[in-house]
Amino acid sequence: MRLSAATAAAIVTLLVDSASAQTAAEINALALFWDYGRSPPVYPSPQGSGTGDWAAAYAEAEALVAQMTNLEKQNITTGFANPANGCSGNSPGVDRLGYPGQCLQDAGNGVRGMEGVSGYPSGIHVGASWNRQLALERGTFMGAEFKAKGVNVALGPVVGPLGRIATGGRNWEGVSNDPYLAGVLGAATVTGLQHNVVACTKHFITNEQERNRQPGDAFIAYGIDLGFNQSVSSNLDDKTMHELYLWPFQDAVRAGTGSIMCSYNRINNSYGCANSKTMNGLLKTELGFQGFVVSDWIAQHTGVASAMSGLDMVMPDSKLWANLSMAVSNGTMPQERLNDMATRILATYIKLGNKPNTLGGGIPASLTAPHKWVNVRSPASASAILQGAMEGHVLVKNTNNALPLGGNPKLISLFGYDATAPRSNNVADANWNLGDEPTNITDATPIVLGAAEPPGIAINGTLSVGGGSGANTPPFIIDPFQAFQQRALQDGSYILWDFVSAAPKVDPASDVCVVFINVFSTEGGDRPYLSDDYSDNLVNGVANQCANTMVVIHNAGIRVVDGFYSHPNVTAIIYAHLPGQMTGPALVSLMHGDQSFSGRMPYTTAKQASDYGNLLYHTAADNTSDYYTQSNYTEGVYIDYRAFNKNNITPRFSFGYGLTYTTFNYSALSVRLNNQQANLTRLPEACTIEQGGNPRLFDTLATVTAQITNTGTVTAAEVAQLYIGIPGAPAKQLRGFEKETLNPGQSMRVVFGLTRRDLSVWDVVEQQWVLQSGSYNVYVGKSVDDIVLTGTLSITAS
């Protein structure tokens, strides 16, 4: 909404006159109280060293920077609006030196807001697949499409938010709320993307809620003024930072990510894009990051201070850096810092060879004006898109083997608002590029900017992707209804449907009834709930009339199902997540048994929303927060399954849980130290920091092996999972997984390597990863709560 000057003045008057309001002087005093001395200062900003395989790129970049004026250096660090293209952001070039600048484009699930691109499965779907190879292939094909569109920097993947808050609005963009799983699949995505473009891993760091992510005045230029509130502050200790939230970023940096995006929120009351502890200290010193840090859009709130804190590039533009070269001239900022900013940007550009034929050439400034059609889809990506869609489905209930649908059912009845594609896929639609077509949202912009609340479900069509800047724009959506009809052509089934009624009547002769519901989530706001009565009543209404009712949930996040889980006629429940353009064929193929389900839960689903405790909803601003909302991470590392285990809460579906069409046996557990390679000192050997940190953290100290056997009658993939109980840490933490497809009767030996980091805890005094002496419990199983094999690993660390 846009407030008139008179309305704004009236609001200010009311605030000043009210008993709880702060005067301008008091607000300034609050700024001094909250903004300083709470996040440790780390200066100066480390200069990139060109370590390892960055050496050649740094040498070339430094030679270019030496020829540039300070104004040219300043220019390439600051975004600008380029009328020649529609890139999310543009970084200027230096024509006289042959550097054309760079196009930065959303996002982590494929090219957003453009025609001629693919609609890939979303991050949460990749997490549910537990498949490294598919994550790599998806990243590779997405990167090729970005490059063919003229993009240099793809703004993804997302490993933050991690998923601390169960209703977090952007959790769906990420992989999992387990740092190990998020790190492995995030790193694979980085590797895939960077075959063609720079990966920009985001949002650094602890950007765990959407509510109050920006200060109230951040979007005044858009006609939205939300008052005096500053961004929410994520307040956490150093141990929690390292063992949870920094972990997947470290994996992404070690994989070579060329860029990191700093976040909107404050960390220990210092803004993410002006936080010297996180950018200078954690990222550039401890992790040895060699690339450049770019701000999230409109996330810069200070000038020279943000540069000194480690920010290298500002998007989409910056008045605060308009005189950066002057700051160097008058001694306010060192010449070395400006040189380093420019060098990091150029070295990343040079190293990754991301030189598209035309800068942003496939991204028109306006799709509603005459423009060139640029199709960048490759037929080679089709199998990866379909298989990725299939493997992210998780079967969580299958009473009496109701699935697969055997014997070619003669009468299938379909119900629910999520069965069909949205009624429009038109570039002229206001919400086309923000993933909101299936919703009843008329204008998504206020939601993305935090001025309106998002809906909890998408009532107008199947959900193939979430909302906001992480959305993609598919070339088509083959929805479940279409796929069921296509299947009926093959097997002679008869299809009945009602996608309109909230209380449909069911033909009593139906062999099977399938109800389609969803969970919507978007950038800019957190979800209002984990379940909704409308959808639950729809399911129960059908189940009351149909003895074989199956529920398909396209969920952009956690969905509690106890509103219908125990209904005796609900025979199957499928978490279908966000499959992308091939949503229907993937689902129908799985339900008919062409391939077994193989997805696993990348999060924990509770029996009731209250089981998430204080981590159910975001921290909201109120009259006691004095405009500085404090989100205190008092739970430490105990989120999701760590918290459920600690508090002895039995979930409905455990982390790692998922059913297949067969059974598996586990045997022959072996746990051993790699004596010849293992250096069992408490601290890792001091050595030159490489991109990703101390390389000794990734030495393999121990190996765990087990044998899995398909004891059923159907070929299927099993996800064998390794959890470790580290002394003084959560009882179980994921430290390995292997997904293997086995034929009936086939056995395979799975091998898990345990690195020093895997077995260590962060010591806030030593400021190091510390390997403890003691007995480490080893668990191998099918989920965190379905452990089949147990053992111990004894370590003596000197």
Side-chain angles (χ1 to χ4, degrees), residues 337-522:
R337 175 78 270 260
L338 182 60
N339 289 352
D340 182 59
M341 294 159 69
T343 300
R344 286 175 175 272
I345 293 167
L346 289 174
T348 304
Y349 174 83
I350 292 165
K351 178 181 186 296
L352 294 167
N354 55 315
K355 301 176 180 64
N357 293 331
T358 305
L359 190 67
I363 302 182
S366 172
L367 290 175
T368 59
H371 63 277
K372 181 181 179 181
W373 156 256
V374 180
N375 178 48
V376 298
R377 294 170 295 154
S378 168
S381 67
S383 61
I385 291 173
L386 177 58
Q387 189 62 29
M390 295 180 73
E391 293 199 26
H393 287 73
V394 185
L395 178 65
V396 294
K397 183 178 182 181
N398 192 21
T399 303
N400 297 324
N401 297 320
L403 286 174
L405 297 173
N408 295 331
K410 296 178 181 179
L411 180 57
I412 301 176
S413 295
L414 307 178
F415 305 97
Y417 54 87
D418 182 77
T420 61
R423 290 187 288 271
S424 175
N425 184 36
N426 190 331
V427 299
D429 293 345
N431 299 331
W432 180 75
N433 68 343
L434 292 173
D436 297 313
E437 299 92 335
T439 72
N440 57 5
I441 298 171
T442 56
D443 184 1
T445 301
I447 293 175
V448 172
L449 299 185
E453 295 296 324
I457 61 175
I459 196 69
N460 291 329
T462 196
L463 201 63
S464 65
V465 69
S469 63
N472 54 38
T473 41
F476 53 79
I477 296 176
I478 303 179
D479 60 46
F481 181 38
Q482 288 176 287
F484 267 105
Q485 292 184 96
Q486 290 168 357
R487 189 73 180 215
L489 283 173
Q490 300 175 29
D491 64 20
S493 293
Y494 192 95
I495 308 292
L496 296 174
W497 64 90
D498 181 349
F499 305 135
V500 178
S501 176
K505 299 298 182 181
V506 180
D507 185 329
S510 299
D511 293 293
V512 60
C513 302
V514 186
V515 186
F516 295 90
I517 62 177
N518 66 41
V519 170
F520 182 68
S521 192
T522 183

Side-chain angles (χ1 to χ4, degrees), residues 82 84-90 100-105 114 146-152 356-365 374:
N82 187 344
N85 64 53
C87 298
S88 302
N90 281 274
Q102 301 191 54
C103 165
L104 294 79
Q105 179 67 19
M114 286 295 124
F146 275 107
K147 183 172 183 177
K149 279 288 187 182
V151 175
N152 302 88
N357 293 331
T358 305
L359 190 67
I363 302 182
V374 180

Side-chain angles (χ1 to χ4, degrees), residues 666-670 704-708 748-752 780 789:
Y666 285 61
S667 62
L669 177 69
S670 170
V704 176
T705 63
Q707 181 168 287
I708 55 174
M748 182 170 291
R749 183 170 176 253
V750 292
V751 180
F752 309 99
V780 176
L789 305 174

